[in-house]
Structure formats: C-alpha cells, structure tokens
Amino acid sequence: MGRPTRPTEAYRDDPDAVSLPEFDYDDAPEISGMPPAYTDDATAAPRRLPRHMPPTASPRNTDTTQLVLGKPVNVVKGVQILVGDSRYDTDPVYLEEGIREFADVAPTPMILIMGSHTETVRRGDKKEKNHITDFKILLNLEQYLRNNYDTDDTTWMDLRTVENSEKAYRGGFMKSRAPGFKQDLEVGIPKPELKEWCHRYCAAPSKLRIFRLDRTVTGLDQTLLKNRIEGLIRSTNYRGHISITFPVENRAVDIYTSTRINEWRLKTWVRWLFCLTFLWLFAWPYLFFATKRYAVVRAEWPFSRADAAGRKAYTTLSEEQWFERWRVGIRRLVLDRYQGDASDEHLAGVIARPEDPPMPGQIRTGNQGVDAAVGLLQTGLRVASDVHRGGVFGGSTQAGWGGDF
C-alpha cells in the first residue's frame, strides 16, 4: 500500500458545500439522543486506495474543482470534499482505513502578515477613502510539524475521537453530547473509538450523511509569534494597520454519501440556480434537517507537546528559534512591500542580500550628503502636508511610512 500524496483549512458545514446560505450550526441548541445502532456486521473487501488531490495553493483559493478516483470533487475553503465512492457508505473497514490514510496527511498552518492604510482623496467637493495594502506575506509552517523535518514521519500525530462530554455532531443535524453526559460529568462509560464510529456511520439509515475528519495544529504559541512579528514590523517605522492571522489549509476532509442529491448540491451551477430562483427557501430546510453529520474524529498535529511536568518538546524548533531564523527575511519583505507566498527558500534568498532595502519613500543614492538633504526635504514636506490637513506636530509628522492620510 503506497503512501497517499498530499490532499487538500470545530466542525461547521461550509455554506458552499451545502449549496445554500450559511447557517450557524454552533449556535444550535443542545440535544441528546442515541446515535445510529452499532453493528459488527461488516465484511472486509479488497481496498482500492484513494488518489488524494493536492491542496489548494493558499487561503486565497477558496473554491476549486479537482479529480479524486476519476470523479470531480470540490475543495471549499481548504476542506476536501469527497463524494461518489459508495464503499465509504456501507463498508466500515474501508472507511476506517480511508480516515487513517487522510489523517497521515498533515494540515498546513500558515502565518498571514498584512499591513494596510487608508488614503483620503478629494474628488470635487467630496472626500473618498481608499484602502491600500502595503504588504501581504504568507508563510508556510507545515514542515515544522514533521519530526526532524521527515516528510514521512507521522509518529507525533495523534488520532483522537471526541469525548463523551464534548459537544459534537454525532449523527444528527445539531451538536450534542453522548447520552447521559452533561459537560465534564463522567458516568464511567468509555467513549467510542474510530472503529465503532465507522460502524455507526455505515449502519445509519439516512441517505444524506457526512463524515468529517478534522486536522488540527496544537502546541503553537500564536500570541508569542504575533507579538514578535508585530514588533519587528514596527521597527521599520511602519505606521499603518497590522493584521497577523494563522489560517490553516488542509484542515478537514468531508466524506459525503454517494447520492444524487449530494452530487448536485456541490455543483456551482446548481447552487446559483437555487439562489437565483429562490428555491433555496424550500431546499435549505430539507438539507439542513435531513443531512446527518459526524464530526467525531480529529488528527492532532503538534508543533510542540508538554510532558507531565509541563516541559515542552518541539517537533523541530521553538517559536523563538523560528522567529530568529527568519526575522531578517520578514523585515526585508515588509520593506519591499512584498505581496505573495514566501517559502523558506525565498526567505533564505532575501536574507542573503547584502543589506536592507531602503524604507519606502526614501531615496538612496549612495552619497551620504545627498541622502541627508533628500531626507530633510521629505521631512519638510511631511510637516507641510500635516499642517495643511490640520495635523499636530509630533503626530503624523514623525518619520515613518504607511500611515493613514
């Protein structure tokens, strides 16, 4: 059995995946009820390995179509949607093997660094504000989830099922806890493992079902990285608005039952037809209540993990080590007003440059006297502009770039 290639960002039904306007399932009231009956009546058949699709390139690609097992499937917001393999519907052994294969594919955690400002322009008697993006840098952290950077190593990945006291989709249209459980109160009943959940899913009578595998990143100190990166950007005298987020690609796999309704609900033209003709007013309630969802399994990929004494062990390197390795490259990309993906190889090439680029708006001629004179002139122009707009000295007149005006 060969290893699958990489497929393609909390369970929440994606609005595009259900073909209809978004409904916030997380706000649905709690319910209780037994999931479909468990059965051991399963026959193992020779397994056909799924041909996994490559992931979407970045969070900017929110809706694509690819081929899996020779059939077109959708990739919506980083979630791979599989429909058309009927063996997943009825063969629990086949389903379990497929889930384990998908779990061996790591999610793709990213850092999206954005800087922006607004410019006010006058058009006749009116003022308009334009939103300007100064830089937009996307960094990929996937390789730091593999032990010693080994792309075939999955020893740190932990495949878990939800706890009985945890609210999740357990074969219904709303989240619920296991029967007899309230919050963290335990009653001594062991939680179902992956094998049992696969049997329950395949034994369920509903024709419309979705089984989701979540891929999560654990042990990453996002607050530390955000503070370090923001401080680095401010050190360039940047005065604009900074946004640092942590999107995740390859964050989940949805397996839909192979029914005609599920195939049609994922087609773009069908979604548009239902929206334009307002047929969604009738179809959406039916799909919402008829679709039984299972979001009970997650593959946890740690950036770090702590032992019983609270000591952290890192898969590759720590957040501080990562920041020190790439801080010069990130700083220079900010000064370059770079917009796009920045791989480790790209960052290494940027770091290899002999010096930092000039601060945006500055002129570097190589002659110190000329550069000083130009800098003084630019400062004077900023002061004059600030006074013209009614500004205050010591505010926007300070040296810097990317500020609102």
Side-chain angles (χ1 to χ4, degrees), residues 18 47 92-93 119 125 138 176 178 183 188 214-215 217 223 291 305-306 322 364 396:
V18 297
R47 175 161 173 72
V93 176
E119 294 182 356
D125 295 333
L138 189 66
S176 65
Q183 296 183 355
D214 279 304
R215 300 191 186 105
V217 179
T223 301
T291 302
R305 59 187 179 188
W322 179 90
R364 182 179 295 176
S396 61

Side-chain angles (χ1 to χ4, degrees), residues 289-349:
F289 290 107
T291 302
K292 307 306 179 184
R293 299 170 175 84
Y294 293 77
V296 292
V297 184
R298 61 177 175 265
E300 296 182 351
W301 285 83
F303 186 88
S304 70
R305 59 187 179 188
D307 59 18
R311 293 185 296 267
K312 273 190 174 183
Y314 289 91
T315 311
T316 52
L317 42 71
S318 68
E319 294 89 352
E320 287 283 6
Q321 290 171 328
W322 179 90
F323 176 75
E324 289 300 322
R325 175 179 291 184
W326 303 119
R327 57 188 294 274
V328 174
I330 296 173
R331 172 188 169 88
R332 292 179 175 179
L333 289 181
V334 168
L335 291 172
D336 284 340
R337 297 193 177 192
Y338 179 83
Q339 298 193 30
D341 296 358
S343 64
D344 286 2
E345 293 76 13
H346 186 185
L347 286 172

Side-chain angles (χ1 to χ4, degrees), residues 7-272:
T8 74
E9 159 190 56
Y11 182 74
R12 191 174 192 177
D13 214 4
D14 293 312
D16 292 336
V18 297
S19 318
L20 297 166
E22 181 178 2
F23 181 85
D24 192 351
Y25 298 111
D26 292 333
D27 292 335
E30 176 183 355
I31 63 170
S32 61
M34 290 297 294
Y38 171 77
T39 175
D40 290 320
D41 185 15
T43 58
R47 175 161 173 72
R48 177 164 52 97
L49 290 179
R51 296 192 298 274
H52 303 309
M53 75 181 73
T56 53
S58 77
R60 290 185 295 274
N61 296 334
T62 58
D63 196 345
T64 60
T65 301
Q66 307 257 351
L67 289 178
V68 173
L69 297 174
K71 298 180 180 294
V73 299
N74 282 7
V75 180
V76 180
K77 297 181 180 179
V79 178
Q80 180 179 343
I81 300 175
L82 300 178
V83 61
D85 191 341
S86 59
R87 288 189 60 190
Y88 281 128
D89 305 347
T90 58
D91 189 341
V93 176
Y94 183 77
L95 176 61
E96 181 181 356
E97 291 178 357
I99 293 297
R100 293 188 182 279
E101 289 179 357
F102 283 118
D104 285 340
V105 179
T108 306
M110 299 179 178
I111 305 178
L112 180 60
I113 306 169
M114 293 184 61
S116 62
H117 70 275
T118 57
E119 294 182 356
T120 303
V121 296
R122 183 180 295 275
R123 298 186 184 277
D125 295 333
K126 295 183 179 180
K127 291 184 178 180
E128 295 182 0
K129 287 189 175 181
N130 297 326
H131 184 81
I132 308 298
T133 299
D134 297 312
F135 50 85
K136 187 175 183 180
I137 306 168
L138 189 66
L139 307 173
N140 191 322
L141 302 180
E142 180 184 350
Q143 65 171 314
Y144 302 102
L145 302 180
R146 299 284 189 175
N147 189 30
N148 295 322
Y149 305 101
D150 185 354
T151 57
D152 293 328
D153 191 293
T154 61
T155 56
W156 282 51
M157 186 273 294
D158 193 7
L159 189 60
R160 295 176 176 268
T161 56
V162 296
E163 301 295 332
N164 288 325
S165 58
E166 184 177 350
K167 294 184 69 174
Y169 291 99
R170 300 172 180 269
F173 60 89
M174 291 183 178
K175 288 184 177 181
S176 65
R177 298 183 178 91
F181 285 80
K182 294 182 179 180
Q183 296 183 355
D184 294 331
L185 181 64
E186 300 290 343
V187 295
I189 302 176
K191 67 176 182 179
E193 299 298 335
L194 176 59
K195 180 179 181 180
E196 182 172 347
W197 279 118
C198 290
H199 277 272
R200 292 186 182 188
Y201 175 83
C202 293
S206 174
K207 297 297 183 182
L208 300 179
R209 287 170 281 147
I210 304 173
F211 196 105
R212 166 166 287 198
L213 166 70
D214 279 304
R215 300 191 186 105
T216 61
V217 179
T218 60
L220 178 64
D221 193 337
Q222 296 183 1
T223 301
L224 185 150
L225 287 175
K226 183 175 181 179
N227 291 338
R228 293 290 189 274
I229 295 172
E230 184 170 354
L232 178 68
I233 296 173
R234 292 301 181 193
S235 71
T236 68
N237 291 327
Y238 181 69
R239 297 186 292 124
H241 306 281
I242 299 174
S243 171
I244 301 173
T245 56
F246 297 83
V248 178
E249 280 291 327
N250 311 328
R251 62 182 179 86
V253 178
D254 281 351
I255 299 177
Y256 283 61
T257 48
S258 56
T259 64
R260 184 60 58 88
I261 293 178
N262 278 340
E263 292 177 358
W264 280 58
R265 72 195 292 183
L266 298 172
K267 294 182 180 296
T268 302
W269 71 269
V270 173
R271 298 200 299 263
W272 276 105

